[in-house]
């Protein structure tokens, strides 16, 4: 008689027994798998002389190390040659990397690489195209030069530099001349760019200020006299608002006005466009409805700088235009609440123009500032404003999440800003008559329009845009012509030869 006995073993015990019985095999397999990998890796000592700054981001293989030529020690490299003096005086005759020049009794040291790169002789700069004929990267790292004081009939007091190691392809007779005036300006410009105060002659205005200083110019004078044009552009740069009267009754007049400054900005609206009411308008401006304070084309990467609006027909009741200085309001907001100001400088607002044939989309803060905060005399580093509620797109979903308070903060700050913008004493209202044109800075001055009755007459404006590069180019040309100086990046630069 046989008997059979059975023992019940819990499942977890079976699992642990299986793990113990296979643990050696598992470890052995892991070792066999990993062994070739570790053996193929080089020893740490083999990479002791490796540096990403010298050899690049990737460690060299054994074959690459064997084929790599031996590096010369630093003292043998050309860039460390110290046989010649590092700084030489004018008329000393010695070649050096730097030249010391006496300017107004002070010794100013210039790197010869800077002086060589700035050469404007006909071999270095084409006299017709004004284009540079060599690259900065062509200048030898071991460049040396010596300087002699001379008198140049065109430039006056100057220095002439002779190069011992010139750019490849230039003959030994090549010389570089720089006037003392040019060197003086280079020094002063460098000081200002390195943290000094920026020049800023913008004038912030309210109703009374612009009413007192507003400028009206005659069309013919504007079109034919450069002094009048300079007056117009200077005023636009300071106040951002200008009016021109006696404009001919022609659709091409606005083209002539804008072209006097430079090339017109072409957009999907066309080179020019008509502001007149029409049914099923694709833009609220083409309706007779009230249009609040706003700026144009903030949904594009580079919104226009100047906007021209020429009144061809003004025969309806209503339709008055009014303007507000957004810079002045932002300046007031900053004094009222630094927190509100910072919020509008950082909170992202999206603008869009979304139609079947066009889809523009751009996000930017309400207030944009220059890198430096030291601007005289306004003490305001605002570079541009972005405010266009009619063309605002929905915010990103994350901004409206339950854990985000940024939207509420923005609403509070924007409410305070809007109150300043639309404050009655900050608005300048004017009804354009036929034959008048308003020109304003689209990145600073907000414009709006009151509702009008399109059934009782015609209201027709012809518009055009000009970009900021075009405007400032013409302004600098006229500044140099009439004032002998011009401004760029907040720095006054005197015209010198």
């Amino acid at each position: 008689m046989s008997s059979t006995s059975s023992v019940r073993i819990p499942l977890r015990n079976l699992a642990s027994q299986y793990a113990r019985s296979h643990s050696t095999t598992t470890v052995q397999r892991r070792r066999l798998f990993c062994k070739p990998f570790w053996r193929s890796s080089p020893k740490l000592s083999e990479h002791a002389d490796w540096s990403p700054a010298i050899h690049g981001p990737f460690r060299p293989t054994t074959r690459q190390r064997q084929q790599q030529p031996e590096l010369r020690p630093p003292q043998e490299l050309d860039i460390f040659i110290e046989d010649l003096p590092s700084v030489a005086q004018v008329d000393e005759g010695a070649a050096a990397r730097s030249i010391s020049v006496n300017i107004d009794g002070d010794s100013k040291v210039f790197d010869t690489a800077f002086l060589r790169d700035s050469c404007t002789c006909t071999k270095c700069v084409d006299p017709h195209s004004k284009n540079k004929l060599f690259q900065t990267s062509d200048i030898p790292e071991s460049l040396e030069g010596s300087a002699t004081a001379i008198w140049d009939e065109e430039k006056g007091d100057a220095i002439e530099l002779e190069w011992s190691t010139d750019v490849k392809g230039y003959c030994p007779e090549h010389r570089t001349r720089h006037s003392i005036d040019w060197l003086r300006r280079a020094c002063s410009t460098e000081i200002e760019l390195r943290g000094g105060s920026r020049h800023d002659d913008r004038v912030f205005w309210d109703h009374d200020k612009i009413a007192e200083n507003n400028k009206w110019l005659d069309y013919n004078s504007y079109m034919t006299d450069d002094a009048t044009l300079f007056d117009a552009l200077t005023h636009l740069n300071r106040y951002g608002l200008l009016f021109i009267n006696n404009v001919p009754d022609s659709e091409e007049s606005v083209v002539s006005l804008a072209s006097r400054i430079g090339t017109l900005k072409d957009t999907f609206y066309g080179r020019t466009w008509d502001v007149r009411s029409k049914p099923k308008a694709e833009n609220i401006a083409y309706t007779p409805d009230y249009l609040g304070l706003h700026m144009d084309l903030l949904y594009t990467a580079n919104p226009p700088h100047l906007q021209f609006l020429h009144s061809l027909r003004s025969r309806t009741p209503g339709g008055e235009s009014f303007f507000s200085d957004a810079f002045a309001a932002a300046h007031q907001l900053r004094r009222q609440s630094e927190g509100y100001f910072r919020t509008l400088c950082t909170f992202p607002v999206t603008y869009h123009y979304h139609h079947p044939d066009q889809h523009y989309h751009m996000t930017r803060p309400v207030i944009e500032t220059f890198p430096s905060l030291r601007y005289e005399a306004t003490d305001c580093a605002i570079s541009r404003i972005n405010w266009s509620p009619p063309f605002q797109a929905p915010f990103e979903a994350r901004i409206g999440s339950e854990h985000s308070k940024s939207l509420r903060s923005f609403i509070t700050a924007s409410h305070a800003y809007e109150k300043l913008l639309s404050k009655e004493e900050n608005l300048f209202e004017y009804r354009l008559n036929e034959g008048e044109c308003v020109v304003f800075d689209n990145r600073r001055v907000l414009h709006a329009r009151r509702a009008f009755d399109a059934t009782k007459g015609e209201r027709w404006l012809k518009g055009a845009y000009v970009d900021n590069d075009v405007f400032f180019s013409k302004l600098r040309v006229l500044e140099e012509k009439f004032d002998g100086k011009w401004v760029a990046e907040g720095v006054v630069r005197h015209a010198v030869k």
Side-chain angles (χ1 to χ4, degrees), residues 177-250:
R177 289 188 177 187
H178 290 301
S179 70
I180 298 300
D181 287 340
W182 184 87
L183 295 171
R184 182 186 295 109
R185 189 185 75 178
C187 291
S188 62
T189 301
E190 180 69 14
I191 292 172
E192 292 187 56
L193 288 175
R194 286 183 177 272
S197 298
R198 298 294 195 266
H199 176 77
D200 183 12
D201 58 358
R202 296 173 297 182
V203 179
F204 299 154
W205 53 264
D206 55 14
H207 173 272
D208 293 341
K209 186 82 170 181
I210 195 65
E212 178 184 354
N213 295 278
N214 203 8
K215 189 175 288 292
W216 284 87
L217 296 176
D218 176 70
Y219 173 84
N220 289 327
S221 180
Y222 170 90
M223 292 298 300
T224 58
D225 182 27
D226 279 354
T228 301
L229 179 62
F230 180 43
D231 187 25
L233 300 193
T234 301
H235 185 82
L236 275 171
N237 193 44
R238 290 177 179 170
Y239 293 90
L241 184 63
L242 173 74
F243 291 89
I244 301 173
N245 53 21
N246 301 319
V247 181
D249 185 12
S250 168

Side-chain angles (χ1 to χ4, degrees), residues 26 205 243 256 274 284 305 335 370 398 402 410 420 437:
T26 303
W205 53 264
F243 291 89
S256 300
D274 298 292
I284 190 173
H305 181 71
R335 290 186 296 180
F370 292 111
R398 59 181 175 79
E402 61 178 332
F410 170 74
L420 294 171
C437 180

